[in-house]
Amino acid sequence: MTELAQELEEFRAPIARWVDERLAPQAEALDVAGEFPHALFREFAELGYLGVMYPEEAGGSGVPHPYSCFTVLCEELARGSLGFAAGVCMQGSTATHTLYEWGNDELRKRWFAPALRGEKIAAFAITEPNAGSDAAALRTRATRVDGGWQLDGSKIFTTNGTVADVITVVATTDPAQGARALEMFVVDTSTPGFSVGRRLDKFSVHSSDTGELHFNQVFVPQDHHLASEQGGGFRNAYQALTVDRIFTAALALGNARAAFEAARRYAAEREQFGQPIGKFQAVQFKLVDMYTKLEQARLITYDAAARADRGESITVQAALAKIVAADECHAVCQMAMDIFGGYALMNEYPVQRFLRDSYFPRIGGGTGDIMRLLVARQLGL
Ligand SMILES: Cc1cc2nc3c(=O)[nH]c(=O)nc-3n(C[C@H](O)[C@H](O)[C@H](O)COP(=O)(O)OP(=O)(O)OC[C@H]3O[C@@H](n4cnc5c(N)ncnc54)[C@H](O)[C@@H]3O)c2cc1C
């Protein structure tokens, strides 16, 4: 085993234990409740893992390979509940990444450090009802006012959005200028004019909070405008989202591992024609194909994370990891459904949850086709 692999297994073990003892046994109940799991989120935050991506001097864990370790964390949590993992992933990555990377000392003290302790819930909002894949077409308007900015507009699909204390909001200072006019602002959700439209009711990742948000003359003080060079807001948001793709791939992997393990156990227990169905070669081959897909997803995801830890560019590798992990892991969940036969359709078996949740990594952080578009551009096509 390499030194890095050894380090990651040591990092993984206590998280895997917490997932087995605390998260997995509650996953079905969390899915049915369909609410943000405040108590469990706090319990997990107290273990100190929300700061894995950040150095010790900033209040983080200071692990030597933060991207690889956070990949482990996302994978393990998703093995218990992808919905729960998605909220944690947002908190420990994109939402805090923007505060850490482009926030001033005051912002870091007021929002970033408490978010790492789980005392404040953080979110990141770029998507709007009419601007999804084409994020640069967003219309939430930032207007200069005395002492800062005023935000007006709406966001949709914001993870942690209805429970957030603080949201990094991407807005435009001039819609006619597209991506060049985008800037990021940190919004305290207790500010007058901010409101939650609704908590969205979903087919997938029930225990992840997904909100529709409104901004009506919301005042943002100047020191809550995240630093950027002229027009650099889009580039910065894009950088945060690029990193997040590795973790979304890890979410897919963890969820599919749970589906594979459930199918493997079921194949050993369920008997038909006088023997366990796992004795039939057709079922064995299916399980081997599932295992192959998991290995492909695991290798490409951890390779992207290791490249990020080495400081290499990950634009292409993160997109490829998300394509492979999201697609292959979705296929693993579909194959698990087949192995469970009619029981797959029964809500008392978790396999239908694994399949439902496997749609999220295909969309969150950019759809598979947008990832392909991005790689095509990098290939000069
Ligand atoms: C559960 C959930 C959580 C989310 N969390 C967040 C969050 O925390 N913050 C946030 O800002 N956003 C979040 N999102 C939004 C997510 O990033 C968007 O849903 C995603 O980028 C796709 O946008 P859209 O849904 O508007 O689809 P559209 O952009 O309308 O795409 C519809 C279809 O058209 C295809 N398509 C669009 N353009 C092209 C093109 N140029 N070439 C080829 N195909 C194309 C897409 O691939 C897709 O198949 C979340 C979404 C979900 C479902």
Side-chain angles (χ1 to χ4, degrees):
M1 200 185 267
T2 65
E3 224 170 273
L4 174 62
Q6 177 76 28
E7 177 194 324
L8 296 187
E9 285 323 297
E10 283 167 16
F11 179 80
R12 184 187 300 271
I15 302 172
R17 219 169 20 250
W18 187 83
V19 167
D20 290 336
E21 289 170 5
R22 299 291 302 147
L23 180 56
Q26 300 186 57
E28 291 308 315
L30 294 178
D31 190 63
V32 171
E35 287 167 4
F36 183 84
H38 284 280
L40 205 61
F41 183 83
R42 265 195 306 276
E43 180 183 319
F44 183 72
E46 280 165 15
L47 300 177
Y49 288 112
L50 293 177
V52 165
M53 285 293 290
Y54 307 102
E56 243 174 326
E57 58 273 21
S61 313
V63 295
H65 299 94
Y67 292 88
S68 299
C69 284
F70 201 72
T71 301
V72 168
L73 182 130
C74 291
E75 180 193 348
E76 282 305 317
L77 290 183
R79 190 173 60 76
S81 159
L82 203 159
F84 180 84
V88 169
C89 179
M90 174 52 70
Q91 177 92 5
S93 173
T94 317
T96 44
H97 182 145
T98 52
L99 297 172
Y100 173 70
E101 205 65 51
W102 300 289
N104 52 39
D105 287 349
E106 173 56 25
L107 279 181
R108 284 192 184 180
K109 205 160 89 200
R110 182 162 172 210
W111 298 115
F112 172 75
L116 295 196
R117 296 193 294 268
E119 294 160 10
K120 302 279 185 203
I121 297 177
F124 172 85
I126 185 167
T127 307
E128 298 184 357
N130 293 315
S133 301
D134 187 10
L138 64 82
R139 283 293 176 271
T140 294
R141 188 72 192 255
T143 317
R144 263 197 191 283
V145 292
D146 226 15
W149 298 80
Q150 176 184 303
L151 297 190
D152 291 278
S154 294
K155 295 289 176 185
I156 202 160
F157 299 157
T158 310
T159 299
N160 296 347
T162 80
V163 293
D165 300 289
V166 60
I167 306 177
T168 300
V169 176
V170 188
T172 176
T173 56
D174 178 2
Q177 287 200 52
R180 273 171 304 160
L182 299 192
E183 297 287 340
M184 290 197 281
F185 300 89
V186 177
V187 174
D188 174 345
T189 59
S190 66
T191 311
F194 170 81
S195 62
V196 170
R198 52 193 173 123
R199 182 183 197 280
L200 297 161
D201 187 22
K202 307 188 293 298
F203 153 79
S204 181
V205 285
H206 287 167
S207 50
S208 162
D209 178 83
T210 310
E212 180 186 65
L213 313 174
H214 301 302
F215 303 81
N216 182 13
Q217 299 187 350
V218 173
F219 176 68
V220 179
Q222 183 56 38
D223 64 0
H224 277 51
H225 172 210
L226 290 179
S228 72
E229 291 157 20
Q230 176 66 33
F234 185 68
R235 212 169 32 247
N236 294 348
Y238 187 86
Q239 180 185 319
L241 288 169
T242 300
V243 169
D244 189 59
R245 285 174 191 141
I246 302 175
F247 307 139
T248 305
L251 296 179
L253 175 60
N255 179 58
R257 265 182 64 208
F260 172 74
E261 287 305 336
R264 179 159 75 164
R265 275 195 306 275
Y266 189 77
E269 288 160 8
R270 172 73 174 168
E271 292 195 2
Q272 288 294 284
F273 300 97
Q275 61 176 358
I277 57 168
K279 293 285 176 206
F280 297 115
Q281 205 174 47
V283 175
Q284 289 173 1
F285 281 10
K286 200 164 269 164
L287 283 162
V288 173
D289 286 348
M290 290 161 77
Y291 190 59
T292 309
K293 290 176 185 301
L294 285 177
E295 275 300 284
Q296 288 170 343
R298 190 178 64 77
L299 288 170
I300 197 162
T301 302
Y302 280 92
D303 176 62
R307 285 170 190 257
D309 278 325
R310 292 197 297 267
E312 295 172 17
S313 165
I314 52 161
T315 310
V316 170
Q317 291 306 321
L320 293 181
K322 197 169 113 66
I323 292 170
V324 172
D327 288 355
E328 297 305 309
C329 291
H330 179 63
V332 168
C333 295
Q334 283 176 321
M335 292 160 96
M337 290 287 286
D338 291 341
I339 290 175
F340 272 79
Y343 296 91
L345 276 61
M346 303 299 128
N347 284 341
E348 65 201 84
Y349 287 84
V351 69
Q352 42 76 33
R353 170 168 59 88
F354 302 139
L355 179 67
R356 282 189 284 110
D357 288 358
S358 73
Y359 280 90
F360 168 71
R362 292 162 65 85
I363 299 163
T367 66
D369 283 339
I370 294 304
M371 294 304 100
R372 288 172 175 86
L373 200 68
L374 201 148
V375 176
R377 280 199 196 123
Q378 296 290 322
L379 293 174
L381 301 170

